[in-house]
Amino acid sequence: ICTSVNDAVLHGVPYDYSLKDGDLVSLDLAISVDGWVADSAVSFVVGKDPDPEDLRIIKCTEEALAAAIDVAKPGNRLGDISNTIGDVAREYGYPINLDGRAHHGYKLREGLVIAIEPWFLKTTDEIFQDPKDGWTLRASDGSRGAHSEHTIAITENGPIVFTDRTNL
């Protein structure tokens, strides 16, 4: 489990820190079952009075993930997924660190299993690796970030989300 807090957006190594009211947290976890590995991430704000801007960036990652899953069909390409994620970020006014090109990249085929993980920072697209742990990725300007992720299978009848949490 990776635990990213506030300006840490990805690969957060847990450390001796007590979460406090208003912290923006992303949990990213991988699970291995019978030789299959699935990855999923969720972001949330700790406490009763979340900053509306934190809720907005979380919503953006969730909408980008849903939109990307919708285009994950045989015959489409990885660039279609990336481009869709970028379109949602641009609609919200968030910077993107990699601009995907529609109709480019690996062609999606039935049976392919992939993780889709949009993550955004509020005011920058620049990240750096935290020198303290050599793993956590943080916003270069200290802005807060959010991350959502699902592992899916590409099928003829549309994507299957292996990490769907709606039935929990």
Side-chain angles (χ1 to χ4, degrees), residues 27-33 36-43 62 65-66 69 113-118 147-154 159-168:
L27 298 178
D28 186 0
L29 58 122
I31 298 170
S32 178
V33 177
W36 288 88
V37 178
D39 202 6
S40 184
V42 61
S43 294
E62 291 170 347
L65 178 59
I69 290 170
V113 176
I114 60 173
I116 301 174
E117 55 180 315
H147 175 202
S148 294
E149 179 178 14
H150 278 309
T151 299
I152 67 164
I154 309 297
I160 296 172
V161 179
F162 289 141
T163 52
D164 186 357
R165 297 177 292 272
T166 57
N167 294 322
L168 296 178

Side-chain angles (χ1 to χ4, degrees), residues 89-90 93-98 119-126:
R90 281 186 285 279
Y94 295 121
I96 55 173
N97 72 327
L98 183 61
W119 57 271
F120 307 118
L121 296 163
K122 287 184 182 178
T123 59
T124 186
D125 60 359
E126 298 292 326

